[in-house]
Amino acid sequence: MLAAVLQIRDETLQVLLWQRAQQPDLGRWALPGGQLGADEDVQSSVLRQLADKVDLREVAHIEQLGVFSEPRRVPGVRLVATGFLGLVPCDADPAVPQDTRWHPVSDLPDTAFDHAAIVRDARDRLRAKLSYTNLGFALAPTEFTVSALRDLYVSALGHPVSATNLQRVLARRGVLVATGETAPPGPSGGRPAALFRFAERQLRVTDASAVLRPPS
Amino acid sequence: MLAAVLQIRDETLQVLLWQRAQQPDLGRWALPGGQLGADEDVQSSVLRQLADKVDLREVAHIEQLGVFSEPRRVPGVRLVATGFLGLVPCDADPAVPQDTRWHPVSDLPDTAFDHAAIVRDARDRLRAKLSYTNLGFALAPTEFTVSALRDLYVSALGHPVSATNLQRVLARRGVLVATGETAPPGPSGGRPAALFRFAERQLRVTDASAVLRPPS
DNA sequence: TCAAAAGTGTTCTAGCTACACCCATGG
DNA sequence: CCATGGGTGTAGCTAGAACACTTTTGA
């Protein structure tokens, strides 16, 4: 099992990597992971690995990316790995061990084995699901303003997003609910922003492809 | 590895299963599959298994569904399986061994282990991808009329589909190309139907979610 | 009174559904 | 000439993008 754990840090989509201290690929950066235990399924296992090995418990969403099984993906041994996408809300600041560090997904260091490809898969999965599910809940804090949420989407998607339209799309789909509270304006003034919350914190598909759907 | 191989047979979505001849789950119906070899990845492996064990070579598309890893999914031993969706065009009629048979997905016999869940996952994946990709190519013969294709979609999706709109959606997306030929009308007359072909026989996403897309 | 930031109203468009209508064939 | 099945034209709907405009705050 290998987990590409993503979080928006400093307006940037980052992934948690640790630096290998032994051969092969000594010094290169690798995804956290480990072996499947006897009495757990792969998902429980990867959550356990993250808690045990990098002391990470704030994972708001995790899902399988697929099996990586190239015969020579790891030199010397035959290793088949199940890759995962994990997401950590941007307000969490987990204390990770010495040898681990967050790296921008768009500017990875030298990575071990095929781990760069797994990170790319994770990023692509996140980008796709942000637009047709409520997956934003896993990146955002519990309460937020629309423009803060917009900034998260911009960082994850890598292209401009209009706060106006983001608000309307998510509201129409019933993904966002207003708390009734407002956030104080910044030092330079401006209207105070309404605070929102995700209606659910479980993955839900909100925009099932409209095409070829059953007649009404 | 386990493969849920689907084909439309007799206007019905069916899956290829073989009947177990030993314990556990003797007599129950199972998905074909086998062990990963030393010098192959999971996808090559599952294609090889299908060719070797059930003499099936007409697989037009195959993709990973995910890892099935419940600790007790197979009694007695710990087995982790990678599930696949395979698709066979409806004009293929592979000669499968004695102990294997096609079964309607909507009316499965007693199935072994968690294989019924894998079949459901395969069906759901197929249904989803039919509407936003060109995946129809893997169910259809090389040449077909729009109404024949419509019938395939109806069987796979389980709800009515308008031939008129199917034609236009797939044509607009550049998925279908006319051959210029026509099929002779049936015994009761009618206008001869134009023959079409899929432009590509590789999976392509044709309807990336329009939402939150980059500004133009 | 002005700048800044948030939020609303309105127009425009793409893509799809629905359905009326026209076309080509067999008997 | 009519029934049958295939194909086209077109109106209407919905979701979203774009953008002008209004609201609420700090200085």
Side-chain angles (χ1 to χ4, degrees), chain B residues 147 164 168 188 190-191 193-194 211-212 216:
Chain B
S147 56
T164 296
R168 276 207 272 245
S188 57
R191 175 169 167 178
V211 98
L212 303 180
S216 45

Side-chain angles (χ1 to χ4, degrees), chain B residues 80-194:
Chain B
V80 173
T82 305
F84 282 82
L85 159 66
L87 295 173
V88 173
C90 67
D91 59 340
D93 190 17
V96 296
Q98 271 290 325
D99 59 347
T100 71
R101 199 160 302 166
W102 294 93
H103 293 272
V105 166
S106 57
D107 182 26
L108 293 178
D110 262 8
T111 47
F113 316 131
D114 55 358
H115 293 195
I118 300 178
V119 172
R120 267 196 303 279
D121 276 14
R123 182 202 58 191
D124 293 348
R125 179 74 64 91
L126 169 64
R127 287 184 175 172
K129 286 211 167 174
L130 276 181
S131 59
Y132 68 89
T133 70
N134 64 345
L135 191 52
F137 78 84
L139 295 176
T142 45
E143 293 196 352
F144 48 84
T145 64
V146 170
S147 56
L149 186 65
R150 187 263 306 267
D151 292 345
L152 294 176
Y153 273 71
V154 168
S155 303
L157 294 174
H159 64 71
V161 173
S162 141
T164 296
N165 293 332
L166 181 65
Q167 220 267 30
R168 276 207 272 245
V169 167
L170 297 184
R172 174 172 38 225
R173 295 178 177 178
V175 169
L176 289 189
V177 287
T179 64
E181 315 273 288
T182 56
S188 57
R191 175 169 167 178

Side-chain angles (χ1 to χ4, degrees), chain A:
Chain A
M1 264 96 38
L2 291 170
V5 178
L6 305 183
Q7 185 186 23
I8 311 277
R9 303 174 68 89
D10 310 326
E11 318 257 289
T12 308
L13 185 65
Q14 308 212 6
V15 59
L16 187 65
L17 298 173
W18 63 281
Q19 194 166 25
R20 290 180 57 82
Q22 68 264 48
Q23 293 293 354
D25 281 6
L26 188 149
R28 291 176 167 254
W29 293 85
L31 293 171
Q35 292 303 307
L36 178 65
D39 205 53
E40 56 184 4
D41 62 23
V42 285
Q43 179 161 322
S44 326
S45 181
V46 77
L47 288 173
R48 179 182 57 78
Q49 317 275 358
L50 290 174
D52 289 359
K53 301 203 176 177
V54 291
D55 201 31
L56 186 69
R57 285 149 217 287
E58 298 89 342
V59 180
H61 173 75
I62 191 142
E63 69 180 56
Q64 267 190 44
L65 293 171
V67 171
F68 296 80
S69 60
E70 269 291 305
R72 270 167 283 281
R73 56 180 287 276
V74 175
V77 285
R78 181 64 197 277
L79 259 180
V80 173
T82 304
F84 282 82
L85 160 65
L87 296 174
V88 173
C90 67
D91 58 339
D93 190 18
V96 298
Q98 271 290 324
D99 59 347
T100 70
R101 199 161 303 164
W102 294 92
H103 293 272
V105 165
S106 57
D107 182 27
L108 291 179
D110 264 6
T111 48
F113 317 130
D114 56 358
H115 293 195
I118 300 177
V119 173
R120 267 195 303 279
D121 275 14
R123 181 203 58 193
D124 293 348
R125 178 73 64 89
L126 170 63
R127 287 184 174 172
K129 287 210 166 173
L130 275 181
S131 59
Y132 69 90
T133 70
N134 64 344
L135 191 52
F137 78 83
L139 296 177
T142 46
E143 292 197 354
F144 47 84
T145 66
V146 170
S147 57
L149 187 64
R150 188 262 305 270
D151 292 344
L152 294 176
Y153 273 73
V154 168
S155 303
L157 295 173
H159 64 71
V161 173
S162 141
T164 296
N165 293 333
L166 180 66
Q167 219 266 31
R168 277 210 270 245
V169 167
L170 297 184
R172 175 170 32 226
R173 294 177 176 179
V175 169
L176 290 188
V177 288
T179 63
E181 315 274 290
T182 55
S188 57
R191 175 170 168 176
L195 285 172
F196 290 85
R197 194 189 290 264
F198 276 91
E200 284 171 283
R201 300 190 64 86
Q202 285 290 320
L203 184 66
R204 205 182 85 224
V205 173
T206 54
D207 183 36
S209 187
V211 97
L212 303 180
R213 68 161 178 273
S216 44

